[in-house]
Amino acid sequence: MYIISCVAWLLCACGEKATYRVELDLSNLETQNLYAVFESDDHKQVDTVVYRPGKPVQITRDEGQFDQLTVYFENHKEGITIYLEPGRKITVTGDARYPLTLQVRGTRTNDLLSDFRKQAATLLKEKTELSGAALTEADAGRAAEASRAEHLPRLANIDHELAQMAENFIHKHPKDEASAILIRDYILDPEDPTRAEKMIGTLSPKLENTRTLRNLRAYCERAMHTMVGAKAPDFTLRNVYGATLTRDSFAGRNLVLAFTAAWCDLCKTEKLLLDKIQADFSRQDVAVALVSLDETPSDVRSQMRTDTTHWNVFTDSAGQSIRVLEAYNVNALPRCFLIDRSGTIVLKTDNGIELRRALEALLKKK
């Protein structure tokens, strides 16, 4: 998890007068800085507070209007989201090794979500443990592929069980914002939002003006536009050499549109097999375009001078990559889209082998 363009400072307890007051008392968390991200519809404020074991820590704020706070810990990769109400004290307790099970109490939304986490605690703990094992094995390299594959079916089963539990919970609480949050966290499938949209239809109309439901509807709409079989969204991007290209610039060719970043190890072109794809298929009406979150075109151009492969690279120097990232509903890196000659999405993947096979099958249809 990465926090970009934030203003951080040490936050101390400000007493009972604070508009927002959150107390964290977590076990199995060593001394470290916690990052507290306060959010509203159009504003974000990031603060820092020191957590020390055995002593509850207060996160307070007496100015601004916010409806959500996310606290990041464990090297800022793990965290918990808290739903705020002015003047209400909120407590967060539990084992930091299992952030999905933390209990947040103090408002109806937090209480309902914590009730769900309590019911699902066994599954959530198992998911955390298996996900951690899968991640460790992924870092270990190819030798662990077989072992890692053993976890994937069980993780899929856990996700299915959690989605069913969430659906049952939502049917009992259609008037509560917690239900929209559960749809987003446990039911929404970025590849096919059909089930999520069906569940949204069961919610009370009074939730229409909540930020959670507005964002959820917008996400589902983008997901529908980027499903396999949909027409690929248009884009306008300026590459590192200053040339402006659009989706139509690649008309008549199959396009591999890859979303990457320099700080993402899995995004490297050789790991995605993009090097081989570029070398093997560049003369067969196949184009490769890299949309990177890196902000400095000159640095990218310097790296490219030593590369014998000519890449079409677009950086985020003017926020352009972020806009395309949103249009294509990308929520994790790397992400590759295979778009055929007619502009239709035929594959979404983060697997280079799958990408190459799909491309080979597509070329055979020529």
Side-chain angles (χ1 to χ4, degrees):
M1 186 73 66
Y2 293 87
I3 302 171
I4 304 172
S5 301
C6 62
V7 179
W9 63 85
L10 187 65
L11 184 68
C12 61
C14 298
E16 297 293 332
K17 294 182 180 180
T19 301
Y20 304 103
R21 184 154 65 99
V22 176
E23 180 180 283
L24 287 88
D25 189 4
L26 306 177
S27 60
N28 293 308
L29 187 65
E30 61 187 21
T31 299
Q32 61 184 265
N33 286 338
L34 305 182
Y35 285 82
V37 184
F38 287 87
E39 295 184 56
S40 64
D41 262 335
D42 56 2
H43 184 56
K44 225 180 232 192
Q45 187 67 58
V46 183
D47 298 335
T48 307
V49 62
V50 178
Y51 183 86
R52 294 183 175 84
K55 184 177 181 181
V57 65
Q58 302 276 343
I59 299 176
T60 62
R61 176 161 286 279
D62 58 5
E63 59 182 16
Q65 294 184 343
F66 302 95
D67 56 16
Q68 183 175 308
L69 166 67
T70 303
V71 180
Y72 295 101
F73 48 90
E74 292 295 345
N75 298 317
H76 319 140
K77 294 181 180 179
E78 302 289 352
I80 181 71
T81 297
I82 300 152
Y83 298 90
L84 302 171
E85 291 180 17
R88 298 292 297 272
K89 178 184 176 181
I90 296 172
T91 61
V92 183
T93 58
D95 189 337
R97 294 174 302 178
Y98 301 99
L100 296 176
T101 68
L102 293 181
Q103 293 288 290
V104 184
R105 300 288 178 179
T107 70
R108 181 170 176 80
T109 296
N110 291 312
D111 290 347
L112 285 173
L113 292 173
S114 292
D115 288 343
F116 175 81
R117 293 187 196 110
K118 195 171 184 178
Q119 291 176 19
T122 300
L123 288 173
L124 292 172
K125 284 185 177 180
E126 186 180 1
K127 179 175 181 176
T128 300
E129 290 167 354
L130 290 180
S131 297
L135 180 61
T136 300
E137 289 159 2
D139 291 341
R142 293 180 180 178
E145 281 296 317
S147 176
R148 183 164 69 99
E150 293 178 5
H151 297 302
L152 298 182
R154 179 54 187 157
L155 283 169
N157 288 337
I158 290 173
D159 286 339
H160 175 76
E161 292 180 57
L162 287 171
Q164 190 58 56
M165 289 183 67
E167 192 168 313
N168 295 337
F169 198 94
I170 291 162
H171 285 310
K172 295 177 182 178
H173 304 281
K175 297 180 180 180
D176 288 286
E177 187 174 3
S179 291
I181 295 166
L182 289 177
I183 292 173
R184 181 196 68 197
D185 292 348
Y186 296 100
I187 295 176
L188 178 60
D189 179 355
E191 310 304 332
D192 183 358
T194 306
R195 185 180 183 184
E197 289 192 321
K198 180 180 177 181
M199 290 305 301
I200 289 172
T202 69
L203 300 180
S204 168
K206 79 170 192 174
L207 296 177
E208 289 296 333
N209 289 327
T210 62
R211 181 158 74 104
T212 301
L213 190 52
R214 288 198 308 272
N215 290 343
L216 182 58
R217 283 192 183 280
Y219 186 97
C220 286
E221 184 177 355
R222 292 196 303 270
M224 290 294 291
H225 292 159
T226 55
M227 289 177 62
V228 170
K231 208 73 172 176
D234 291 328
F235 58 80
T236 300
L237 289 165
R238 185 183 297 273
N239 68 19
V240 293
Y241 298 109
T244 298
L245 298 172
T246 68
R247 192 196 67 190
D248 290 339
S249 301
F250 302 97
R253 286 183 288 172
N254 297 297
L255 172 64
V256 176
L257 183 63
F259 292 89
T260 68
W263 37 259
C264 167
D265 184 59
L266 293 175
C267 295
K268 296 185 185 304
T269 56
E270 61 270 20
K271 290 195 174 182
L272 289 172
L273 302 186
L274 296 180
D275 297 70
K276 286 204 168 279
I277 288 172
Q278 179 80 321
D280 295 346
F281 299 112
S282 61
R283 296 183 180 180
Q284 300 184 52
D285 294 328
V286 175
V288 178
L290 306 179
V291 181
S292 175
L293 291 185
D294 303 294
E295 296 184 359
T296 311
S298 59
D299 292 346
V300 176
R301 286 197 298 269
S302 296
Q303 294 175 17
M304 290 170 61
R305 288 193 188 101
T306 61
D307 198 331
T308 57
T309 303
H310 176 74
W311 295 104
N312 226 328
V313 180
F314 307 91
T315 62
D316 201 39
S317 56
Q320 59 173 358
S321 294
I322 291 293
R323 292 193 295 272
V324 182
L325 205 78
E326 291 175 351
Y328 278 78
N329 214 40
V330 176
N331 56 10
L333 297 177
R335 194 60 159 165
C336 297
F337 289 78
L338 178 56
I339 303 168
D340 69 12
R341 295 178 180 85
S342 68
T344 300
I345 297 172
V346 296
L347 177 71
K348 294 190 291 183
T349 186
D350 58 5
N351 185 300
I353 295 175
E354 185 179 24
L355 178 62
R356 185 184 179 93
R357 287 174 179 168
L359 188 52
E360 289 172 343
L362 196 60
L363 290 171
K364 286 180 181 178
K365 295 179 181 179
K366 183 176 178 181

